[in-house]
Amino acid sequence: MYRAAKRFLNTFKKKSQKDKRLITAIETIVGSKPLNLNLFRLAVQHSSIAKTGKNGVKESNERLEYLGDAILGAVVADFLFTKYPFKDEGFLTEIRSRIVNRESLNTLGKRIGLNQLVEYDNTQQNKLSHKSLYGDTLEALVGAVYLDRGFNFCQSFILEKLILPYYDLRIIVESDTNFKSQLIEWAQKENKEILFEIISIKTEGRHKEFTAEIIIDNDKMAQGFGHSKKKAEQDAAKKTLQEMGLVTNE
């Protein structure tokens, strides 16, 4: 009842051209016009341009991002749990990680057009918080949809508008993306000593960037980067395998 009344009242408010473009974009991405446009205005507002409100809190999409991350993870976990009833926890965790990791969500965010919507300070493109800009905005969008329409609608949005159209689960399941494991296996076969070292950690607000380096028989190999130690080590392992011609540069 409340949402219906809110929609009725919103029809009488004059919208700016910017708001009209946002409404059209949200309707295209989500499949329905927003009931509470303020949620979606906030969802596309990055912390780099956040202004402090009357309550002393900076208004950005970070809280929505936090909420959307939890909702997205839960929906994908439930989907995989149902789809693969005989797979163990390790398999389900790995596949979920491949779907909702930062790189994957960043790519998906751009594919659905969030790069045309998100508002941020583009003079600071090298900042750590910008490296997952579109993935973070995607999570904030999920949070906004959840608050705007409820869990059931948001669940359908995630599955029907994000997961099923843009992810080939067969390829995800069959591909071996554990480059660290592949490199360790190679080192064991070749009787090589291999070390994974975290050589630096950069911190900016909530964002961290780890730098990992691989050393094989005292020779320094590739360096990798990521928002966690695991991601940095995987990146370094992939680059090392590529340098040795053991995987392709895809």
Side-chain angles (χ1 to χ4, degrees):
M1 184 72 178
Y2 169 77
R3 286 176 176 163
K6 192 174 186 69
R7 181 186 299 196
F8 178 76
L9 291 174
N10 282 342
T11 60
F12 292 94
K13 292 182 180 180
K14 187 175 181 180
K15 300 291 192 304
S16 67
Q17 287 300 315
K18 182 179 178 181
D19 280 347
K20 288 179 181 178
R21 287 194 296 271
L22 179 59
I23 291 170
T24 299
I26 296 304
E27 184 176 14
T28 300
I29 296 170
V30 176
S32 180
K33 290 183 178 179
L35 300 179
N36 184 351
L37 186 59
N38 285 332
L39 286 171
F40 296 90
R41 290 193 188 107
L42 194 60
V44 297
Q45 184 166 301
H46 187 253
S47 58
S48 61
I49 60 166
K51 296 179 180 179
T52 303
K54 294 179 181 179
N55 56 4
V57 177
K58 285 191 174 182
E59 298 177 347
S60 75
N61 62 6
E62 288 187 336
R63 280 172 53 84
L64 285 174
E65 177 194 334
Y66 156 79
L67 180 61
D69 175 46
I71 299 297
L72 182 61
V75 170
V76 172
D78 178 72
F79 171 70
L80 294 175
F81 184 86
T82 303
K83 185 172 180 63
Y84 301 104
F86 303 110
K87 294 293 187 179
D88 62 20
E89 177 266 349
F91 170 87
L92 298 174
T93 299
E94 175 64 23
I95 301 306
R96 181 183 62 179
S97 176
R98 294 183 190 183
I99 292 173
V100 301
N101 68 62
R102 281 281 162 247
E103 295 80 3
S104 176
L105 293 183
N106 228 28
T107 299
L108 179 58
K110 287 187 283 187
R111 292 185 71 181
I112 66 174
L114 294 182
N115 54 318
Q116 302 297 320
L117 294 178
V118 61
E119 300 175 10
Y120 66 102
D121 183 353
N122 60 12
T123 66
Q124 304 180 44
Q125 291 186 26
N126 292 323
K127 297 184 72 173
L128 298 181
S129 59
H130 286 47
K131 291 192 174 183
S132 57
L133 179 66
Y134 309 123
D136 292 345
T137 305
L138 175 59
E139 289 178 336
L141 175 65
V142 170
V145 171
Y146 168 73
L147 292 177
D148 194 49
R149 293 281 187 166
F151 179 78
N152 289 338
F153 182 95
C154 187
Q155 182 181 41
S156 296
F157 160 63
I158 291 170
L159 295 177
E160 296 172 11
K161 301 291 186 180
L162 300 179
I163 304 302
L164 297 178
Y166 292 102
Y167 290 92
D168 188 326
L169 286 176
R170 182 185 60 81
I171 292 177
I172 291 174
V173 169
E174 292 178 358
S175 62
D176 183 3
T177 59
N178 193 336
F179 300 107
K180 182 177 179 180
S181 178
Q182 291 180 51
L183 188 58
I184 291 173
E185 184 178 345
W186 170 85
Q188 290 173 342
K189 287 181 179 178
E190 299 295 325
N191 198 27
K192 301 283 187 179
E193 182 182 1
I194 184 168
L195 296 174
F196 293 81
E197 294 188 353
I198 300 298
I199 59 175
S200 73
I201 304 173
K202 295 180 181 178
T203 303
E204 182 185 297
R206 337 184 267 109
H207 297 271
K208 288 185 178 181
E209 182 178 74
F210 294 82
T211 301
E213 184 174 67
I214 292 175
I215 301 173
I216 298 178
D217 283 350
N218 295 319
D219 291 329
K220 293 182 178 181
M221 306 298 287
Q223 292 183 356
F225 310 93
H227 292 291
S228 68
K229 292 180 181 179
K230 181 179 178 181
K231 294 294 184 185
E233 290 175 346
Q234 286 287 350
D235 187 43
K238 180 179 180 180
K239 290 174 180 175
T240 299
L241 288 167
Q242 288 173 340
E243 288 180 4
M244 296 189 300
L246 298 177
V247 296
T248 58
N249 290 283
E250 292 180 352

